[in-house]
Amino acid sequence: MARVTLADVARRAGCSGAAVSLWVNGKSDGRLTDESAARIEAAVRELGYVPNRAAQQLALGTSQSVAFLFPGALYGDFFASIVDGVTGHLGPEWEMSFVDAKPPTNAHPTTSPLERALRGNPAALVAAAPSAAILDELRQVQVPTVVIDAPSAPPHVSLISLDLESSVSDLAAHLQQLGHHRVAYVSFLAESLSLASRRKLVRKQLAAHDVELIDEDLLLGALELQATKQAFLEIWPTWEAAGVTAVICADDRHAYGILAAARSAGIDIPRQLSVAGFNDLDPNTLLDPPLSAIWLPAFSMGELAADALAEHIRTGQPVRHRMATRYVPRASMTQRR
Amino acid sequence: MARVTLADVARRAGCSGAAVSLWVNGKSDGRLTDESAARIEAAVRELGYVPNRAAQQLALGTSQSVAFLFPGALYGDFFASIVDGVTGHLGPEWEMSFVDAKPPTNAHPTTSPLERALRGNPAALVAAAPSAAILDELRQVQVPTVVIDAPSAPPHVSLISLDLESSVSDLAAHLQQLGHHRVAYVSFLAESLSLASRRKLVRKQLAAHDVELIDEDLLLGALELQATKQAFLEIWPTWEAAGVTAVICADDRHAYGILAAARSAGIDIPRQLSVAGFNDLDPNTLLDPPLSAIWLPAFSMGELAADALAEHIRTGQPVRHRMATRYVPRASMTQRR
DNA sequence: ATGAAAGCGCTAACAA
DNA sequence: TTGTTAGCGCTTTCAT
């Protein structure tokens, strides 16, 4: 497979490679006899010819691929939605290649994830929830790039960011109004600048509303319910002793884990512990109790990123979008008892 | 960027391209003076050299990439988990490239998705929940391939499939025992053979338990709650009139939509309508009511696929796995009233 | 309208 | 130990 080359087709069709190339790329306008075109078409089909992309890229110097740099894994909905948003908005002529941003291998010249992404000569780059290191490396990158979900980015890259100020403020105000004084935080993806700044913002807004965010976060490596549940059960005694009456989770799915843990440990949510998350996934409304969350437009971010990419590529100018978010209070938050 | 070529480095380091190539690929064992190695290293760093993958591929004839053919989008958890399973089990030296299996573009020689995937000369191919067309094309493909989630596959490809017989039988038995006689089905991804056979199996097992699956499915194009909710509200009168007392959803997330619709329309679940899904996502246990489901090992399928791929590539032999699933009854199913 | 030929950047024999 | 060279498969001027 992929054994059949242009030359084979040319030989079979009794013409030169140039002719075949022309036809295959639909550039045979008035440049080929109908008759040769037909012969080429036949040869292509009979031989099952599929162009070799590496060769095309090499000859052309460009590719039709966008490299997607994501933080280790898709981790379910949020990044998956972004991916779907991007792919859905890009034509099928685009190839998406994924490289995970986890630390490099043992390669000889220490290879950064970004470098690995760039090796494929992508026409564009999408970096989701990048680390500081990646953002820094990005300053040297010439390829049109859009960063999704970062607090900031080098001036020449496009940026789709989240405007969380007011929604987090709303959440903090809600907490204050309900009489909570000490809140704990469940975090995730320590490397990601976006997640780091999310925590800072939460702390700041809570402080502005006379609520204290205790220092001891629960830092998780994944989103799975079981893992979160275990981790929460371990840390809960400490939190409880510290007077924690509410928990904010960097991702709804952590909140799911806490809900599960609470059930198994007989902790009453929301009366004993109020919970809120980020994302506002579909199930939130259906949970028992329904989960308060800050809604994030994951899918739209992906779509917008694709548009931004297209525009950035066309105009050469970076584009920036700051997307609105919204605090959605639900029954998982209640008066401190 | 990616402007710097091997030749530039060679020139800068005052040596030949071959030497640079050797060093960059860590094959400089006893073949280079420490001194030249040092000069090359310096040159590489100073120039910021990144090898051009297209050129490498062309010269080598092989790539370190696996092409992932997925049905249109990731659609949230199931496929995302598979992707994470695969990437997590493959070294970082592997690049993943994604092509969506939606109908082709207007390309000149009508390009199938598979063809597009193959153009990149992937070392391996992963096809998730493929359509009949793709499965058929696969018979001609020489690249080591693993199909994930299909009822069957050509003999030379590896296959990770789901063993649903007994779990669906359990579900059917449960329905029968609860006194249900007419059940409706919510489906998805009409193209996918796996989903099609899932429906057939459901029908068969229900029949075996004296339960009728009515003909009028709700066929959805996505998993989002809102869309499902709307669609359900439209079809519900028909179903109700037909005496439907239970619904089986090809994906839990459809069930979420139904739960939401039921709330808004005052349909009592489970008393008026029992609901079950496939996947058994984390939130299922936390819903109100908790959702019955057939658990599918999405993440493990991905891991296993990666292992299968590695083995298939190494031995040249396809490997098959049939993974167990499990019916998990919960409160969303109850006695027909 | 069609073909010849020169690269695109890299690797791997083969010489030196 | 190092350099020379011949491709890998394709695109694209430039002749014809």
Side-chain angles (χ1 to χ4, degrees):
Chain A
M1 180 108 283
R3 286 268 69 99
V4 184
T5 75
L6 226 202
D8 297 328
V9 176
R11 205 170 308 123
R12 172 73 158 248
C15 65
S16 79
V20 178
S21 173
L22 248 28
W23 187 83
V24 167
N25 296 319
K27 296 183 182 166
S28 48
D29 296 16
R31 319 196 46 190
L32 250 40
T33 332
D34 283 2
E35 209 241 318
S36 2
R39 284 212 316 284
I40 294 175
E41 174 165 16
V44 164
R45 196 187 3 258
E46 287 161 24
L47 266 30
Y49 170 66
V50 175
N52 176 326
R53 181 136 50 198
Q56 288 186 151
Q57 268 189 42
L58 191 54
L60 254 23
T62 67
S63 70
Q64 282 274 84
S65 79
V66 2
F68 212 104
L69 205 57
F70 62 97
L74 293 173
Y75 298 116
D77 290 288
F78 186 72
F79 294 117
S81 295
I82 287 182
V83 172
D84 283 350
V86 174
T87 53
H89 253 53
L90 246 31
E93 68 276 17
W94 288 88
E95 189 193 359
M96 310 272 306
S97 84
F98 281 29
V99 359
D100 99 34
K102 283 274 181 55
T105 167
N106 46 8
H108 204 16
T110 324
T111 319
S112 81
L114 186 55
E115 227 164 81
R116 278 186 288 132
L118 256 21
R119 278 168 136 81
N121 295 352
L125 198 61
V126 175
S131 65
I134 292 201
L135 227 34
D136 187 59
E137 282 185 83
L138 240 28
R139 294 189 312 191
Q140 321 261 32
V141 169
Q142 305 292 325
V143 178
T145 298
V146 25
V147 168
I148 301 184
D149 190 22
S152 69
H156 68 291
V157 321
S158 292
L159 175 64
I160 314 289
S161 59
L162 253 14
D163 181 1
L164 291 165
E165 281 286 344
S166 71
S167 52
V168 172
S169 168
D170 290 348
L171 166 59
H174 193 200
L175 247 4
Q176 177 184 36
Q177 172 209 324
L178 293 174
H180 294 274
H181 292 118
R182 316 201 77 188
V183 173
Y185 192 69
V186 179
S187 196
F188 176 55
L189 245 35
E191 297 291 294
S192 156
L193 237 38
S194 163
L195 275 291
S197 87
R198 186 174 298 181
R199 192 208 189 270
K200 277 199 213 97
L201 178 60
V202 166
R203 176 185 208 88
K204 180 183 118 187
Q205 290 293 354
L206 285 178
H209 291 83
D210 289 321
V211 181
E212 181 192 356
L213 184 64
I214 69 166
D215 283 330
E216 193 170 13
D217 286 0
L218 181 54
L219 180 59
L220 266 9
L223 296 171
E224 274 70 39
L225 187 141
Q226 282 305 329
T228 308
K229 180 176 162 184
Q230 291 310 325
F232 173 79
L233 289 176
E234 276 168 35
I235 207 172
W236 174 239
T238 313
W239 282 359
E240 189 174 24
V244 167
T245 58
V247 180
I248 298 177
C249 301
D251 191 290
D252 285 342
R253 295 183 60 190
H254 293 317
Y256 297 173
I258 292 183
L259 258 35
R263 281 190 193 190
S264 77
I267 301 166
D268 184 342
I269 291 182
R271 258 173 304 219
Q272 192 172 349
L273 182 67
S274 287
V275 182
F278 278 80
N279 264 9
D280 201 23
L281 302 175
D282 278 347
N284 283 18
T285 54
L286 305 170
L287 298 179
D288 178 23
L291 180 65
S292 295
I294 289 179
W295 171 79
L296 310 179
F299 186 78
S300 312
M301 290 177 91
E303 291 184 315
L304 227 57
D307 291 344
L309 215 45
E311 189 178 335
H312 187 148
I313 291 175
R314 213 186 53 242
T315 67
Q317 295 302 311
V319 350
R320 322 283 272 209
H321 284 291
R322 198 169 180 73
M323 309 201 59
T325 63
R326 202 172 60 242
Y327 172 55
V328 186
R330 298 205 185 86
S332 67
M333 301 270 291
T334 195
Q335 202 71 32
R336 175 188 168 208
R337 68 156 186 188
Chain B
M1 181 109 281
R3 287 268 67 100
V4 184
T5 75
L6 226 202
D8 298 327
V9 176
R11 204 170 309 123
R12 171 73 158 250
C15 65
S16 79
V20 178
S21 173
L22 248 28
W23 187 84
V24 167
N25 296 319
K27 296 183 182 166
S28 48
D29 295 16
R31 319 197 46 192
L32 249 40
T33 332
D34 284 2
E35 209 240 319
S36 3
R39 284 213 316 286
I40 294 174
E41 174 165 15
V44 164
R45 198 189 0 259
E46 286 161 26
L47 265 30
Y49 170 66
V50 175
N52 177 325
R53 183 139 46 198
Q56 288 186 150
Q57 269 189 41
L58 191 53
L60 253 23
T62 68
S63 70
Q64 282 274 83
S65 78
V66 2
F68 211 105
L69 206 57
F70 61 98
L74 293 174
Y75 299 115
D77 290 288
F78 185 73
F79 293 117
S81 296
I82 287 182
V83 172
D84 283 350
V86 174
T87 53
H89 252 53
L90 246 32
E93 68 276 17
W94 287 88
E95 189 193 358
M96 309 272 305
S97 83
F98 281 28
V99 0
D100 99 34
K102 281 274 182 55
T105 166
N106 46 10
H108 204 16
T110 325
T111 318
S112 81
L114 186 56
E115 228 164 81
R116 278 186 287 132
L118 256 20
R119 278 169 137 80
N121 295 353
L125 198 61
V126 175
S131 64
I134 292 203
L135 227 34
D136 188 59
E137 283 186 82
L138 239 28
R139 294 189 312 190
Q140 321 260 32
V141 170
Q142 305 292 325
V143 178
T145 297
V146 25
V147 168
I148 301 184
D149 190 23
S152 68
H156 68 290
V157 321
S158 292
L159 175 64
I160 314 289
S161 59
L162 252 15
D163 182 0
L164 291 165
E165 281 286 344
S166 70
S167 51
V168 171
S169 167
D170 290 348
L171 166 58
H174 193 199
L175 246 6
Q176 177 184 35
Q177 172 208 325
L178 294 174
H180 294 274
H181 292 119
R182 316 201 78 187
V183 173
Y185 192 69
V186 179
S187 196
F188 176 55
L189 245 34
E191 298 291 293
S192 156
L193 237 38
S194 162
L195 274 291
S197 88
R198 187 175 297 182
R199 192 208 190 270
K200 277 198 214 98
L201 178 59
V202 166
R203 176 185 208 88
K204 179 184 119 187
Q205 289 293 353
L206 286 178
H209 291 82
D210 289 320
V211 181
E212 182 192 355
L213 184 65
I214 69 166
D215 283 330
E216 193 170 12
D217 286 0
L218 180 55
L219 180 58
L220 266 10
L223 296 172
E224 274 69 41
L225 187 141
Q226 282 305 329
T228 308
K229 179 176 161 182
Q230 290 310 323
F232 174 79
L233 289 176
E234 276 168 35
I235 207 172
W236 175 240
T238 313
W239 282 359
E240 189 173 24
V244 167
T245 58
V247 180
I248 298 177
C249 301
D251 190 290
D252 284 343
R253 295 183 60 191
H254 292 317
Y256 298 173
I258 292 182
L259 258 35
R263 280 190 195 192
S264 77
I267 301 167
D268 184 342
I269 290 183
R271 258 173 303 221
Q272 193 171 350
L273 182 67
S274 288
V275 182
F278 278 80
N279 264 9
D280 201 24
L281 301 175
D282 278 347
N284 283 19
T285 53
L286 306 168
L287 299 178
D288 177 23
L291 180 65
S292 296
I294 289 178
W295 171 80
L296 309 179
F299 186 77
S300 312
M301 289 177 91
E303 291 184 313
L304 227 57
D307 290 345
L309 215 44
E311 189 178 335
H312 188 148
I313 292 174
R314 212 186 55 241
T315 67
Q317 295 302 312
V319 349
R320 322 283 271 210
H321 284 290
R322 198 167 179 76
M323 309 200 60
T325 63
R326 201 172 60 242
Y327 172 55
V328 186
R330 297 206 185 86
S332 66
M333 302 270 293
T334 195
Q335 202 70 33
R336 175 188 168 209
R337 69 157 183 188

